Amino acid sequence: MKVLVVGGSGFLGAELVRQAAAAGWVTAATYCSSRPAAGPGVSWHRLDLREPERIEEVVAAAAPRAVVDVTSGDADWAVTADGSARVAAAAARHGCRLVHVSSDAVFSGSRVHYDETCLPDPVTPYGAAKAAAETAVRILAPDAAVVRAYLADRRARPVGP
Ligand SMILES: NC(=O)c1ccc[n+]([C@@H]2O[C@H](COP(=O)([O-])OP(=O)(O)OC[C@H]3O[C@@H](n4cnc5c(N)ncnc54)[C@H](OP(=O)(O)O)[C@@H]3O)[C@@H](O)[C@H]2O)c1
């Protein structure tokens, strides 16, 4: 298995890179501003999704079977919406299976329960950009898995009653 983790230098991406390499997968990953230390079994590519042609070069060079997009540009539309659309288009062009990591921020939170049939109703610029990315991914890479993550707090929480 050959996987490309787009956003491998991030919080979630770093763990995916660690687990993919530990599982023996041929692992390529990208960073934008903070290059991780070189580790065994991982090839790193610099990628800024605001450079339209660059994702194509990285996917062509890595030649992965699967692409996992765990980038986050927060409310920066050029990264979070346009950038993830570019990842989806490149993955589709190269015949890669795509996993696109989205967010519960696509929802307003006005309901108590949400499931996959609920339509996005974002109330923040970040949520709107993530919702736009989801729409682009569904159209450009219909076989993609869209995962809506919710991580309430990056800090380790004490375990207790
Ligand atoms: N963390 C949460 O609480 C949470 C909750 C719900 C959903 N999510 C989703 O989970 C995914 C991962 O989140 P995270 O917390 O791991 O994010 P993160 O730690 O902020 O990492 C973001 C990643 O995106 C890269 N990136 C930023 N700007 C970029 C650009 N212009 N071009 C290319 N890459 C760029 C960063 O690279 P550099 O660091 O090298 O610049 C980094 O690898 C995101 O899709 C996010 O929306 C996260």
Side-chain angles (χ1 to χ4, degrees):
M1 180 66 168
K2 195 168 187 185
V3 65
L4 170 65
V5 181
V6 181
S9 55
F11 174 64
L12 182 55
E15 180 60 15
L16 290 175
V17 167
R18 191 190 68 75
Q19 291 203 21
W25 293 3
V26 179
T27 306
T30 75
Y31 66 96
C32 182
S33 61
S34 47
R35 184 183 184 128
V42 182
S43 59
W44 286 98
H45 303 259
R46 198 198 72 79
L47 169 70
D48 188 331
L49 287 172
R50 293 166 296 189
E51 298 169 3
E53 71 291 343
R54 184 64 188 137
I55 181 64
E56 187 68 32
E57 295 170 1
V58 171
V59 175
R65 180 98 181 272
V67 174
V68 186
D69 180 1
V70 276
T71 54
S72 177
D74 295 320
D76 185 341
W77 196 274
V79 180
T80 299
D82 295 355
S84 285
R86 290 191 181 111
V87 174
R93 267 196 299 274
H94 288 264
C96 310
R97 186 78 196 277
L98 174 67
V99 178
H100 170 78
V101 177
S102 187
S103 168
D104 62 346
V106 300
F107 296 126
S108 65
S110 61
R111 293 170 60 116
V112 176
H113 299 291
Y114 286 91
D115 64 25
E116 290 81 357
T117 64
C118 296
L119 292 176
D121 61 342
V123 291
T124 63
Y126 168 66
K130 294 298 283 186
E134 285 191 7
T135 295
V137 166
R138 279 205 319 277
I139 291 168
L140 294 168
D143 291 339
V146 176
V147 181
R148 290 177 177 141
Y150 66 101
L151 300 174
D153 193 334
R154 290 174 177 222
R155 292 166 295 182
R157 288 169 183 241
V159 177

